[in-house]
Structure formats: C-alpha cells, structure tokens
Amino acid sequence: FPDMLSNPRLTSVQRTLTVAMNQNVSLSCHSDSGSPPVTYTLFKHNQKVSTLNRPDLTPALFNLTIKSASDVGEYKCKAENKVSSGGKYSNGLNFTLIEPISKPVLSSPTSQAKKGQNVTLSCLSKNGSLPITYIFFKGKQNISPPVKMHKREAAVIFLCISSSSDFGTYKCRAENSFRNNTKYSNSFNFTLAEERSHSQPLIISLGLILLLFIIGFALAIPFFIIPSYKASE
C-alpha cells in the first residue's frame, strides 16, 4: 500500500536568503518519506510558480531569477502523491533583496577653518541596502572606527583643526552586505580661513578720525581766513 508523504522541507541551495537583483537562485523541495511518484509545486504568495514531477524521493530543484522586488516574497512548496489528499505543505522562505550602495558623498557645513576650530564631516550613500558601514580617512589613514548606520542618515564625525597637517585631504568609505561593493567618496579639503589682524580696526578708526579732521579743517577755513583778510584791508 502507498504511504502518505511527510511534510516537505523547502531550503535555499545557496544556503543564504539574501539575494541581489538579477541573481539566479535555486530552491530545493523534498519529502523525506512517502510513496513515489511525487509532484512538487512551488508557490509565491499562494500563486503557482512551477510544478515538477519526481519518480522517486529525490528533491525537486526550482531555479529562479530575482528580477524585481516582487520576486522576494514568501515561497512555499506542496508535495502530492496518490494518497496525500490535498497535498502536504512546506515551511515558508523569504528572500531579502540587497542593493549595492552608491558612491558616498563627503561634505561639511564649512570648507574654511581656523586653527583650533571644531569642524564636522558627514558621509552618506543615498542608495543601497541598510545597514551601511562608514569609515573616515585622512590621506590613507583611517581616523574613525567603523560607523554602522541602520537608517538612511549620514555618518558624522567631529574634528579639531589643531595643526597645519589637519588641512589635508579627507575621504570616506561605505560598504554593506553586498559582496565586493566598497565605494569611496569624493575628496574634501579644509582651507585656512584668513584671520583678520587685530590692528586692522585700529587703522580704520585712525583713518576715519584723520578724514574727519581734514573735513573739519576745510570747513573752518572760510571762518578764519576770510575775516582776517578783510581786517587787513
């Protein structure tokens, strides 16, 4: 007499449920016990995807291509034989779509700084699956521990411009779980802000006083020169 099938197991052949766009994946559906032949049907969100027949108890392999975000919904499979009324259903599997990150942008509210001034640097990749890990560099030396962001927000570090060497070239690096997809940002340089001389306001004040003195002297000439000229006639 034919035996009823056990509930099938649905597994990812790649042993991972994180996938990228246009990636090929394989799902294995297998009932450990029951009388063959067996018909396996793969479903996604209760919609039939594919059906395979097996003359024995070997696994059915379903090959898929992840073409859009809708392809990462929940998958299940059903196993049927002559005595399994209604079939037996497997566990569900959900893929997670990972997107490569875009080139991060390194920026600061100011590009000019004085020695001793505190500044900030922000690094942000506008596209890519979260979380994203950022690291900041000056030249080829990293100047921050890895900063992991779980939201679409910029990673920010605070710096103090304490010497001339702090005006070097800065960059940041971004990466996520997408393989071989590390991206570096644009270069950013702080420039030394021109410091106003303390004597400059004093020079301006003295210049204004001298100008007022000259104007006052010019206005006073008619009152002193002309009466003395008339008196001498």
Side-chain angles (χ1 to χ4, degrees), residues 40-55:
Y40 293 99
T41 304
L42 183 68
F43 294 87
K44 181 176 71 66
H45 289 317
N46 299 320
Q47 296 292 321
K48 184 189 293 185
V49 176
S50 181
T51 298
L52 294 174
N53 295 308
R54 286 290 177 265

Side-chain angles (χ1 to χ4, degrees), residues 65-124:
T65 301
I66 305 300
K67 296 180 180 179
S68 67
S70 62
D71 292 330
V72 294
E74 184 184 52
Y75 288 86
K76 284 187 177 183
C77 71
K78 181 175 72 170
E80 299 174 278
N81 66 359
K82 293 181 179 180
V83 295
S84 296
S85 177
K88 295 284 186 173
Y89 284 88
S90 73
N91 54 295
L93 282 185
N94 277 283
F95 287 109
T96 300
L97 184 64
I98 55 173
E99 180 186 3
I101 52 177
S102 58
K103 180 179 178 178
V105 176
L106 183 65
S107 61
S108 175
T110 180
S111 61
Q112 293 186 329
K114 300 175 183 177
K115 288 185 180 180
Q117 181 177 338
N118 293 320
V119 295
T120 60
L121 280 174
S122 301
C123 186
L124 175 64

Side-chain angles (χ1 to χ4, degrees), residues 102-173:
S102 58
K103 180 179 178 178
V105 176
L106 183 65
S107 61
S108 175
T110 180
S111 61
Q112 293 186 329
K114 300 175 183 177
K115 288 185 180 180
Q117 181 177 338
N118 293 320
V119 295
T120 60
L121 280 174
S122 301
C123 186
L124 175 64
S125 287
K126 293 185 178 180
N127 297 305
S129 302
L130 298 171
I132 299 176
T133 301
Y134 298 94
I135 298 179
F136 293 82
F137 295 85
K138 187 173 74 67
K140 295 183 179 180
Q141 182 178 4
N142 63 306
I143 57 172
S144 75
V147 181
K148 182 176 284 190
M149 302 299 295
H150 294 271
K151 295 182 179 180
R152 190 73 61 190
E153 297 175 350
V156 179
I157 63 168
F158 299 88
L159 303 171
C160 179
I161 304 298
S162 57
S163 66
S164 299
S165 62
D166 294 326
F167 291 97
T169 300
Y170 291 86
K171 281 190 175 185
C172 68
R173 186 181 75 194

Side-chain angles (χ1 to χ4, degrees), residues 190-224:
F190 290 104
T191 57
L192 181 63
E194 293 185 4
E195 299 186 18
R196 294 180 61 184
S197 173
H198 296 293
S199 61
Q200 188 175 1
L202 179 61
I203 295 173
I204 294 174
S205 299
L206 291 175
L208 289 174
I209 292 172
L210 180 60
L211 179 61
L212 291 174
F213 177 78
I214 293 173
I215 293 173
F217 181 76
L219 293 174
I221 289 176
F223 297 97
F224 292 99

